[in-house]
Amino acid sequence: MEITAQSVWSNCLAFIKDNIQPQAYKTWFEPIDAVKLSGNALSIQVPSKFFYEWLEEHYVKILKVSLTKELGAEAKLVYVIKMENTYGNKQPFTEKIPSANRSALKSQDVDVPFNNKSPELRNPFIIPGIRNVKIESQLNPSYSFENFLEGDSNRLARNAGIAVANKPGGTSFNPLLIFGGVGLGKTHLAHAIGVDIKDKYPEKTVLYISAEKFTQQYIDSVKKNNRNDFIHFYQIIDVLIIDDVQFLSGKTGTQDVFFHIFNHLHQNGKQVILTSDKAPVDMQDIEQRLLSRFKWGLSAELQTPDFETRVSILKNKLYRDGVEMQDDIIEYVAKHIKTNVRELEGAIISLIAQSSFNKKEITINLAKDIVEKFVKNTKREVSIDYIQKVVSDYFQMDVNTLQSKTRKRHIVQARQLAMFFAKKYTKASLASIGSQIGQRDHATVLHACKTVDNLSSTDKQFRKYVEDLSKKLAL
Ligand code: ADP
Ligand code: MG
């Protein structure tokens, strides 16, 4: 068979479909068209810039794996962004990335897709004459201070960051440790400091690296017997930013080497910036001497932003993306997604994506649907035991009755509902649901799910059961 863009892409899709959630597949992959294949570069057309960013952020690995399977190790992916204006007369995507010259998968290392890796960084220490080598900072310029909105929740950390950026190594905030829960802006702020320093002091060597990658490089250096080169490489950096240092927990070798690098940098007036998902006192399995170093400077916490800040973050994002959205919709999203800025942005992005490729208007109802999905997805998974308990309580029977072999109609229905919700709210297989709900087989569970589906569309009373139970289980 002739190899075409379409055939390559359809093989990729088959692989991707097998490996991600159906809803995600539908949302993010079905709207894509393969448009061109030239050599080992496949061009795919995506509906908008959001789409492209979302794919890059969430699916670049699976894209790479699937495309490499099809086109070999040299495979390249090129995004073509379809300029379709669904938002009235405004030109929403003026900041568009030129369609053809942006390609992911160029570098072997794809987890920081916004920045092509320089080989120097990936293997810094084997390059001779390192002092003359320009070190890529690995910074994401869109993570700027300007885009990092200030609120009570981040004022200290943000301003400390600005102070550090004005005088790297010259404040008492050394190291600056930024800590806080997931999705609250640690990585963004850490980049912003680096970006600003690069801007003000172009001659300074700034390096952003995740603790995970730092660890990996260290391990490689030990394997290759060039641990000293590794240390020297890090010792010539002026501003070292290490993200997610909690990752060093329990890794004594890496902690040890970092301790030496840290001391060297600190003594020489170089700036160190760290982020962590925990306060130093709560960090486990980090050596005491390192923890005490962390406390030398300033530990600044990022807290969850209040409602006003969440609204401003969303408005700023929409403004930058050139999208208009009604205030009540923005506020609805900000009101319901509270604990994580990344999810807040994610909800808005899928809202825009949904509306743009379904050509639906962005309405409050669409917002409700999407927010519900976000809130539900991030919830702890409920257990099958819990579901059986809730269903039994609702029908005022005990769990043993629900599981019993009886064919009494109301008990059968309760059992079927428990199976239905177990399928809906847990990741358990049909077989495992069956074995936990009264030792039934997978066919029985499948039948139960179908029955519940049918009855809830034909029987009003039954639909009420489903709705009531959904509410109880969703809490
Ligand atoms: P963390 O590293 O703490 O998990 P990130 O830095 O990755 O979080 O932030 C998650 C997302 O939220 C990013 O897209 C970031 O730009 C955004 N974000 C977080 N805080 C703010 C803020 N104060 N203003 C604007 N965007 C923010
Ligand atoms: Mg982060």
Side-chain angles (χ1 to χ4, degrees):
M1 201 184 82
E2 196 200 349
I3 296 176
T4 62
Q6 285 72 25
S7 71
V8 169
W9 183 237
S10 95
N11 290 345
C12 290
L13 283 181
F15 176 80
I16 292 168
K17 193 170 187 176
D18 272 349
N19 284 286
I20 69 174
Q21 296 283 327
Q23 184 59 39
Y25 177 80
K26 215 170 151 229
T27 307
W28 301 109
F29 290 93
E30 280 185 1
I32 298 176
D33 292 322
V35 289
K36 199 171 100 193
L37 181 67
S38 49
N40 49 23
L42 176 71
S43 305
I44 58 172
Q45 177 170 290
V46 297
S48 68
K49 176 167 164 263
F50 298 103
F51 233 86
Y52 145 77
E53 287 175 351
W54 191 267
L55 290 171
E56 278 279 273
E57 186 165 336
H58 298 265
Y59 298 109
V60 75
K61 282 189 183 154
I62 192 160
L63 279 165
K64 179 173 172 146
V65 172
S66 64
L67 202 60
T68 311
K69 263 163 53 97
E70 296 305 311
L71 299 174
E74 296 290 288
K76 282 197 178 80
L77 184 67
V78 179
Y79 294 94
V80 179
I81 299 170
K82 193 169 168 192
M83 298 285 278
E84 201 173 23
N85 192 343
T86 51
Y87 305 99
N89 300 327
K90 275 190 73 196
Q91 288 262 297
F93 300 126
T94 41
E95 197 203 326
K96 172 191 164 258
I97 293 161
S99 48
N101 54 20
R102 164 88 217 209
S103 63
L105 314 182
K106 242 189 234 149
S107 54
Q108 296 173 347
D109 215 344
V110 288
D111 60 349
V112 188
F114 46 76
N115 210 339
N116 286 331
K117 293 288 159 50
S118 64
E120 301 90 293
L121 184 87
R122 234 180 289 124
N123 240 333
F125 22 88
I126 55 168
I127 295 186
I130 192 124
R131 268 159 210 286
N132 303 323
V133 172
K134 199 174 157 301
I135 294 168
E136 275 283 343
S137 293
Q138 310 297 315
L139 292 165
N140 178 352
S142 67
Y143 280 160
S144 62
F145 277 123
E146 210 188 358
N147 291 337
F148 192 81
L149 296 206
E150 184 166 318
D152 290 343
S153 56
N154 61 37
R155 188 159 289 121
L156 172 68
R158 187 174 186 279
N159 284 297
I162 292 174
V164 164
N166 287 335
K167 262 177 113 182
T171 68
S172 53
F173 308 152
N174 198 11
L176 174 63
L177 173 72
I178 302 162
F179 69 95
V182 282
L184 293 181
K186 300 180 295 292
T187 298
H188 185 145
L189 191 53
H191 276 275
I193 300 169
V195 169
D196 202 33
I197 294 176
K198 268 312 258 184
D199 202 40
K200 294 196 167 102
Y201 305 93
E203 76 291 352
K204 285 204 191 291
T205 310
V206 179
L207 180 68
Y208 166 91
I209 186 148
S210 66
E212 185 174 1
K213 193 167 285 170
F214 179 85
T215 304
Q216 197 52 53
Q217 289 182 351
Y218 171 68
I219 293 170
D220 288 350
S221 80
V222 172
K223 262 192 220 143
K224 294 191 188 122
N225 231 336
N226 51 17
R227 183 175 180 274
N228 284 341
D229 294 341
F230 172 87
I231 294 173
H232 287 142
F233 171 79
Y234 277 95
Q235 287 180 340
I236 58 162
I237 285 166
D238 297 315
V239 178
L240 178 61
I241 306 170
I242 302 200
D243 203 359
D244 290 320
V245 289
Q246 76 277 358
F247 186 83
L248 302 181
S249 286
K251 307 197 168 59
T252 45
T254 315
Q255 285 181 34
D256 194 48
V257 78
F258 178 57
F259 181 76
H260 289 294
I261 292 168
F262 178 91
N263 285 340
H264 182 95
L265 294 178
H266 198 269
Q267 274 160 22
N268 288 285
K270 307 298 172 71
Q271 178 72 45
V272 178
I273 297 150
L274 309 166
T275 79
S276 161
D277 67 355
K278 295 181 196 63
V281 286
D282 297 324
M283 287 185 202
Q284 298 196 332
D285 296 318
I286 301 263
E287 282 175 57
Q288 209 47 48
R289 55 179 188 165
L290 204 51
L291 277 183
S292 88
R293 294 295 187 279
F294 291 175
K295 293 179 200 154
W296 278 0
L298 175 73
S299 304
E301 182 171 10
L302 290 178
Q303 291 164 330
T304 51
D306 56 25
F307 176 72
E308 277 73 35
T309 313
R310 299 200 295 278
V311 170
S312 344
I313 291 174
L314 288 182
K315 288 195 170 161
N316 177 263
K317 169 141 190 71
L318 290 166
Y319 175 77
R320 274 187 286 132
D321 290 326
V323 175
E324 276 189 276
M325 197 177 284
Q326 283 164 247
D327 281 357
D328 58 335
I329 296 178
I330 300 176
E331 282 164 16
Y332 181 86
V333 175
K335 185 159 168 237
H336 289 86
I337 302 187
K338 298 179 224 174
T339 52
N340 182 324
V341 181
R342 189 178 296 128
E343 277 171 13
L344 195 62
E345 291 184 339
I348 285 284
I349 291 166
S350 38
L351 195 53
I352 294 165
Q354 290 271 357
S355 101
S356 100
F357 72 78
N358 292 333
K359 306 228 181 332
K360 274 196 218 152
E361 235 192 290
I362 301 182
T363 60
I364 193 91
N365 279 333
L366 188 60
K368 280 185 184 155
D369 280 357
I370 285 173
V371 165
E372 196 182 312
K373 276 188 200 112
F374 263 81
V375 176
K376 206 183 283 158
N377 283 340
T378 54
K379 216 164 262 145
R380 250 183 315 125
E381 191 175 294
V382 292
S383 69
I384 295 181
D385 282 346
Y386 178 71
I387 291 170
Q388 297 189 74
K389 172 99 179 57
V390 170
V391 174
S392 317
D393 284 353
Y394 179 75
F395 289 110
Q396 295 171 348
M397 59 179 75
D398 56 33
V399 175
N400 287 336
T401 312
L402 179 130
Q403 294 184 344
S404 68
K405 302 276 168 208
T406 172
R407 292 182 182 278
K408 283 199 189 111
R409 191 174 124 104
H410 73 286
I411 298 174
V412 173
Q413 281 191 349
R415 190 160 57 230
Q416 290 179 327
L417 281 161
M419 290 174 171
F420 170 82
F421 284 112
K423 181 72 198 135
K424 184 162 171 195
Y425 288 137
T426 73
K427 294 194 186 76
S429 65
L430 293 170
S432 131
I433 293 170
S435 78
Q436 291 179 67
I437 306 185
Q439 295 298 329
R440 305 303 204 282
D441 63 11
H442 83 279
T444 310
V445 180
L446 191 61
H447 176 70
C449 295
K450 283 189 187 145
T451 309
V452 172
D453 264 339
N454 285 339
L455 284 179
S456 50
S457 57
T458 53
D459 178 337
K460 223 168 157 194
Q461 177 60 52
F462 197 84
R463 179 154 66 238
K464 176 93 171 43
Y465 294 158
V466 174
E467 284 165 6
D468 288 351
L469 285 166
S470 298
K471 281 196 202 115
K472 286 187 196 297
L473 288 165
L475 281 178

